Amino acid sequence: MVVIMKERASEPQIQAVIAQLMDMGYDVHRSTGANRIVLGAVGGGHGDPQIVEVQDGVQEVHRISVPYKLASRTFRPENTVIAIDDVRIGGDEVIVMAGPCSAESEEQVEASAAAVKRAGAKVLRGGAFKPRSSPYSFQGLGEPGLRMLRAAADRHGLKLITEVMEISQIELVAKYAHVLQVGARNMQNYSLLRELGKARAPVMIKRGISATIEEWLMSAEYVLAGGNTQVMLCERGIRTFETYTRNTFDISAIPVVQQLSHLPVIADPSHGTGRRDKVAPMARAAVAAGADGLIIEVHCDPDHAKSDGAQSMFPAQFERLMAELRIIAPAIGRSLCVEPVARRGWNR
Ligand code: PEP
Ligand code: MN
């Protein structure tokens, strides 16, 4: 259940309600809404909500009928905004994360970081631990890759998002990354999600390859229930009967999740389509549909990329897309801010 305290509820009143909920067997998560304290009572407790409703300082009590509690809008009506210094994910500004699928070399990471920064991205993406369908494919550079990514991000004033595949990697990846990415294949790795609940860094959970929206929100619930409130979701396409595109990019998931949950929603049209020529139209559509951010693969020499070359944009294509997004975002009351950076010509 969700207990909304009165605007002027005193701290002793709040503590008394927390104690009562814990007595009923609930775990209590406290959050500050618009000027008032909201208490989320989750877990195996039971008790009559009316008993809670009559306590001093209580405004109203709601039952949450959906299985995800802390991720639901009932628990938190306001949007969650995740702030990484001056980069605010979930606010008015649409945040663009971009970079290669994988870190391959110092030069490649540096060139990608420079290119995406110039076009206006705020976050560098790139994997050092790669979940590949084949054990014979490039598996990522590991820690040296993390080091290259973070150094390039710092040089260009970007934040870094990178994937963590296993519990044993969390500490290492968190040393370098500003945002920890949970890949589609790990969306239901519940022990990993539980550990990420204890992490202090923001976490982005990609939608599982065949996951329903409810299953995806339940994965977010695992991290939230562990005490980490900085969770964002990423729509990256789902598997359907269609084979023309690598996945079917579920744009409707963006407004659906935003209605059901307060968590920011990022869209990944690169994995969503698997084809570079379809990334820009789907990125435009995702922003028009209200996505809080985009994550896009960009490579300076995609034909020789070690992973996902076919869906990686050339820097010039990405730059054009960013210019289009700057027109689309304000049409729906969002912004896409870019610091003025010196422009340079591109030959593709
Ligand atoms: C990636 O971001 O490169 C990636 C592997 O994504 P996903 O987990 O969505 O397949
Ligand atoms: Mn990829």
Side-chain angles (χ1 to χ4, degrees), residues 101-102 125 130 246 271 297 307-308 311:
C101 178
S102 311
R125 67 142 289 148
K130 297 302 300 177
R246 180 178 178 184
H271 294 85
E297 289 185 342
S307 59
D308 287 349
Q311 68 193 32

Side-chain angles (χ1 to χ4, degrees), residues 183-248:
R185 290 152 195 84
N186 263 325
M187 188 205 83
Q188 287 180 313
N189 181 340
Y190 298 121
S191 41
L192 177 65
L193 296 172
R194 259 190 214 290
E195 280 305 303
L196 289 170
K198 299 180 200 156
R200 297 278 62 92
V203 174
M204 184 178 85
I205 305 177
K206 297 191 105 182
R207 183 176 182 181
I209 288 167
S210 300
T212 63
I213 288 173
E214 187 166 296
E215 288 165 340
W216 187 21
L217 289 168
M218 289 309 287
S219 296
E221 190 77 11
Y222 265 88
V223 180
L224 295 168
N228 187 347
T229 57
Q230 302 187 88
V231 179
M232 61 193 104
L233 296 160
C234 176
E235 164 59 41
R236 49 78 73 203
I238 48 175
R239 182 162 293 177
T240 68
F241 53 81
E242 183 53 70
T243 54
Y244 186 83
T245 47
R246 180 178 178 184
N247 290 295
T248 297

Side-chain angles (χ1 to χ4, degrees), residues 1 21-22 24-29 40-47 63-64 66-70 218 221 225:
M1 75 180 90
L21 291 167
M22 288 173 68
M24 290 168 150
Y26 289 109
D27 291 330
V28 183
H29 292 258
V42 298
H46 45 81
R63 275 192 187 281
I64 309 182
V66 287
Y68 43 90
K69 311 287 181 192
L70 305 174
M218 289 309 287
E221 190 77 11

Side-chain angles (χ1 to χ4, degrees), residues 28-45:
V28 183
H29 292 258
R30 177 179 175 150
S31 93
T32 309
N35 303 326
R36 57 188 77 197
I37 299 294
V38 179
L39 303 174
V42 298

Side-chain angles (χ1 to χ4, degrees), residues 136-332:
Y136 309 117
S137 301
F138 176 61
Q139 304 286 311
L141 295 179
E143 187 169 7
L146 292 174
R147 210 175 298 122
M148 288 171 200
L149 287 162
R150 180 57 191 259
D154 286 349
R155 272 196 299 276
H156 293 279
L158 295 161
K159 304 300 174 199
L160 176 65
I161 181 168
T162 192
E163 178 160 354
V164 58
M165 287 172 59
E166 295 171 19
I167 292 175
S168 61
Q169 295 165 352
I170 295 177
E171 206 182 315
L172 174 70
V173 175
K175 261 197 347 210
Y176 295 94
H178 298 97
V179 184
L180 306 173
Q181 172 176 327
V182 175
R185 290 152 195 84
N186 263 325
M187 188 205 83
Q188 287 180 313
N189 181 340
Y190 298 121
S191 41
L192 177 65
L193 296 172
R194 259 190 214 290
E195 280 305 303
L196 289 170
K198 299 180 200 156
R200 297 278 62 92
V203 174
M204 184 178 85
I205 305 177
K206 297 191 105 182
R207 183 176 182 181
I209 288 167
S210 300
T212 63
I213 288 173
E214 187 166 296
E215 288 165 340
W216 187 21
L217 289 168
M218 289 309 287
S219 296
E221 190 77 11
Y222 265 88
V223 180
L224 295 168
N228 187 347
T229 57
Q230 302 187 88
V231 179
M232 61 193 104
L233 296 160
C234 176
E235 164 59 41
R236 49 78 73 203
I238 48 175
R239 182 162 293 177
T240 68
F241 53 81
E242 183 53 70
T243 54
Y244 186 83
T245 47
R246 180 178 178 184
N247 290 295
T248 297
F249 189 46
D250 184 6
I251 292 176
S252 63
I254 298 164
V256 170
V257 170
Q258 286 174 332
Q259 182 186 5
L260 299 174
S261 176
H262 52 88
L263 300 173
V265 183
I266 309 300
D268 175 351
S270 307
H271 294 85
T273 61
R275 302 172 54 109
R276 154 184 335 134
D277 60 331
K278 301 292 177 278
V279 173
M282 290 298 97
R284 296 193 297 255
V287 169
D292 297 296
L294 294 172
I295 182 161
I296 296 181
E297 289 185 342
V298 176
H299 198 291
C300 294
D301 183 13
D303 295 342
H304 296 100
K306 291 200 169 154
S307 59
D308 287 349
Q311 68 193 32
S312 298
M313 293 183 113
F314 289 99
Q317 284 179 311
F318 177 63
E319 208 170 323
R320 250 191 319 274
L321 169 63
M322 291 294 279
E324 293 164 350
L325 298 178
R326 247 166 258 140
I327 297 167
I328 295 169
I332 53 153

